[in-house]
Amino acid sequence: MPDDPHTLPADEPLGRLEPVAHFSGPMPTGVTVSRAGRIFVNFPKWGDAVEFTVAELRDGEAVAYPDLATNAPGEDDPASGLVSVQSVVVDPADRLWILDTGSPMFAPTRPGGPKLVCVDLATDRVVKRILFPADVALPTTYLNDVRFDLRRGAEGIAYITDSADSGPNGIIVVDLATGNSWRRLHDHPSTKAEPPERFLPVVEGRPLMEREPGKPPKPVTMGADGIALSADGSRLFYCPLASRRLYSVATDALADAHLSESGVAATVRDEGDKGGGADGLEADAEGRLYATSYEHDAVLRRSAEGAWETVAHDPRLLWPDTLSLAADGYLYVTANQLHRQAKYQGGEDRRHKPYTLFRVRVDATPVWLR
């Protein structure tokens, strides 16, 4: 038997994963890339010291965006600035949209906290702020990810996942022209985390559960998380964080504020097993879907016919979180070691900095360039 462990067979990476930027401060979640190649990231307030919750990468460094003042809301006026941002997305009109949970440390939301903020990238100024009423963004709501279809209505429609871990899950629909919003698939089974007897995630070889000192292990209960819009805009794909299933729903049903909940639910499809738990989803103009696979340190791609393949698999992809397909044919992905946080590790923070933004070339076209 060989004594040198480096001569033994070992797990092999797939795909060419390229580091884009490293982060030695708070952990990032979202990433998005503009038509001109500007890269934006965000840092939710989950316990790390967060000076600014949204940033642009300039020469590899994260700089407060659009400025420090916007990243500093008044203590008694959460609507005045960004509270704790979970996702940033550039829309087909090349505007940056910022999804503010209004929920630092997953605390109950307050009016004015949960919101959708639009920044004009030509001027770097906030041009629209949409606040969510209390019957849409519930006290338990955690706004997670968002996608845009500017082909609908006067100015377009946004779809947002509510991934609450202790309340109803669902999809929030927003009319960008009026600012009106409504909940869909409210606590529908397809938006819910699966119980541990059906799904127990295994990450880095260990079952993933909340493990706090002096308390019994608690299963991960985050619901609808990843979201992606089909190339033709007819279906919205989504997946609970604690599940290996993929679902889709008709956007005609979601966008019809007068359709009954049963009418919307009738259009839901179970799209099958993804082979692992996923955090982020993305789509391309060729009708393919991309999914992170946090159980396998991987990014997967689903063909238009429904067959899955691996785009990237690498031991450095420790909890691949958010995906963003850019005009340069690269798929960008954040790796933030979410599962190594103290709440999952018996009170010990096992994360090792830096966190990293990677990219892998997939030679695909973003839906918004079609």
Side-chain angles (χ1 to χ4, degrees):
M1 294 287 291
D3 294 325
D4 183 355
H6 298 292
T7 66
L8 297 175
D11 191 1
E12 296 182 353
L14 290 172
R16 186 181 175 189
L17 204 62
E18 304 175 18
V20 175
H22 301 291
F23 307 95
S24 296
M27 61 187 289
T29 54
V31 60
T32 191
V33 185
S34 75
R35 289 175 184 261
R38 296 172 69 181
I39 302 174
F40 303 90
V41 294
N42 65 269
F43 310 95
K45 295 177 183 177
W46 288 348
D48 294 330
V50 177
E51 181 183 2
F52 42 84
T53 189
V54 176
E56 180 178 4
L57 292 183
R58 297 175 185 167
D59 298 322
E61 297 296 322
V63 178
Y65 189 84
D67 49 47
L68 271 174
T70 305
N71 280 268
E75 188 171 331
D76 297 321
D77 184 15
S80 65
L82 302 174
V83 179
S84 178
V85 172
Q86 176 66 26
S87 183
V88 286
V89 174
V90 172
D91 75 4
D94 208 35
R95 301 171 297 184
L96 178 71
W97 289 89
I98 298 169
L99 186 63
D100 188 354
T101 67
S103 176
M105 296 296 293
F106 300 97
T109 62
R110 294 190 297 154
K115 54 187 170 290
L116 194 55
V117 177
C118 181
V119 181
D120 180 354
L121 293 181
T123 62
D124 296 323
R125 293 190 177 185
V126 173
V127 294
K128 188 181 286 280
R129 183 181 283 107
I130 298 174
L131 306 182
F132 298 106
D135 62 344
V136 173
L138 312 175
T140 57
T141 286
Y142 193 81
L143 304 177
N144 198 300
D145 208 350
V146 58
R147 292 294 181 267
F148 299 88
D149 188 349
L150 303 188
R151 295 166 290 191
R152 289 184 178 271
E155 295 182 20
I157 291 283
Y159 306 99
I160 301 170
T161 46
D162 180 352
S163 64
D165 67 353
S166 59
N169 301 113
I171 306 292
I172 294 171
V173 185
V174 187
D175 183 324
L176 298 178
T178 65
N180 293 336
S181 58
W182 54 94
R183 294 183 68 90
R184 283 310 198 187
L185 299 179
H186 179 77
D187 232 23
H188 187 272
S190 67
T191 69
K192 304 298 293 180
E194 294 193 52
E197 60 267 22
R198 292 211 310 265
F199 172 70
L200 181 62
V202 177
V203 187
E204 286 196 272
R206 304 176 183 91
L208 180 67
M209 302 184 80
E210 292 188 16
R211 303 178 188 273
E212 299 185 46
K215 297 181 181 180
K218 178 186 174 185
V220 176
T221 54
M222 299 288 281
D225 187 325
I227 189 171
L229 187 66
S230 67
D232 63 4
S234 66
R235 307 291 297 180
L236 186 75
F237 293 89
Y238 59 96
C239 60
L241 183 70
S243 173
R244 296 188 182 104
R245 309 302 296 183
L246 175 70
Y247 299 94
S248 73
V249 62
T251 51
D252 282 345
L254 292 176
D256 184 351
H258 304 292
L259 186 64
S260 68
E261 271 292 282
S262 61
V264 179
T267 72
V268 171
R269 293 180 193 160
D270 184 336
E271 300 282 356
D273 192 314
K274 305 186 304 302
D279 197 324
L281 298 178
E282 179 64 294
D284 68 24
E286 290 75 34
R288 296 172 296 192
L289 193 72
Y290 300 79
T292 63
S293 185
Y294 60 75
E295 292 187 271
H296 304 293
D297 306 334
V299 175
L300 309 179
R301 178 165 62 191
R302 179 181 184 260
S303 70
E305 294 72 38
W308 289 94
E309 63 177 335
T310 300
V311 169
H313 163 63
D314 194 295
R316 296 173 296 172
L317 269 179
L318 291 168
W319 200 280
D321 193 312
T322 299
L323 297 171
S324 179
L325 181 58
D328 59 9
Y330 281 92
L331 185 67
Y332 290 72
V333 55
T334 51
N336 59 20
Q337 305 171 55
L338 181 149
H339 62 290
R340 290 183 171 182
Q341 292 177 97
K343 68 184 292 186
Y344 303 111
Q345 302 295 333
E348 177 189 0
D349 186 354
R350 297 185 62 248
R351 296 173 297 171
H352 295 283
K353 297 179 182 180
Y355 313 110
T356 303
L357 170 64
F358 294 101
R359 70 178 186 176
V360 59
R361 189 162 191 87
V362 293
D363 293 320
T365 304
V367 170
W368 43 267
L369 279 183
R370 186 175 184 177

